[in-house]
Amino acid sequence: MSGYGGVFAIAAVIDHFSDAVVKNPIVGQKSKNPQLREWHTKNLKKLPGLKFMRTLWVCNVSGGPFQFTATKPGKTPVGLEEAHRNLRISPAEFDEVAAELGRTLDFAKIPQREKAEVLAAFAAHKDEVTAGYVAAAKRG
């Protein structure tokens, strides 16, 4: 994706995507998941920083120009696993966020090959992002 306007194009995609997630009926402000609902209503002051982190992450998975330093699961509060654990994101909710990302990539007219690369990179982290939900479900 970096060949299509670099960080400016990526930041525009993330801006659109992040705003769409907030409004998404399954994972946003009206989500049945109380943690997601709360995040998207009470923590919106953090959204600019989240957009920045998401932009770095996509720059990294798309081959530059900036590097997001990945973390070992569970080792740091900014790692994907720890950052999402308390949100208890279900696999179905994860899939809806991925679908929202796909719609945003289509909106931005990102070519199919690059779209597939970004979605594959996103999907690769499903286990980390849904770890909190899975652990809570096992505890009952």
Side-chain angles (χ1 to χ4, degrees), residues 29-92:
Q29 292 175 326
K30 294 188 169 62
S31 176
K32 289 187 174 74
N33 175 330
Q35 290 86 356
L36 284 176
R37 196 168 59 241
E38 181 178 1
W39 202 100
H40 287 114
T41 50
K42 295 186 178 161
N43 287 345
L44 287 183
K45 64 185 177 295
K46 293 183 176 177
L47 193 58
L50 183 59
K51 288 178 178 181
F52 176 74
M53 296 296 282
R54 285 172 170 165
T55 299
L56 282 182
W57 189 83
V58 175
C59 284
N60 188 56
V61 299
S62 61
F66 299 97
Q67 293 300 305
F68 177 93
T69 304
T71 56
K72 292 186 176 64
K75 298 289 185 215
T76 166
V78 297
L80 288 174
E81 188 176 324
E82 291 308 310
H84 295 90
R85 182 181 303 281
N86 293 336
L87 295 175
R88 295 190 181 170
I89 296 168
S90 72

Side-chain angles (χ1 to χ4, degrees), residues 13 77 82 101 105 116 119 124 139:
V13 165
E82 291 308 310
L101 180 57
L105 294 169
L119 291 176
R139 286 195 300 270

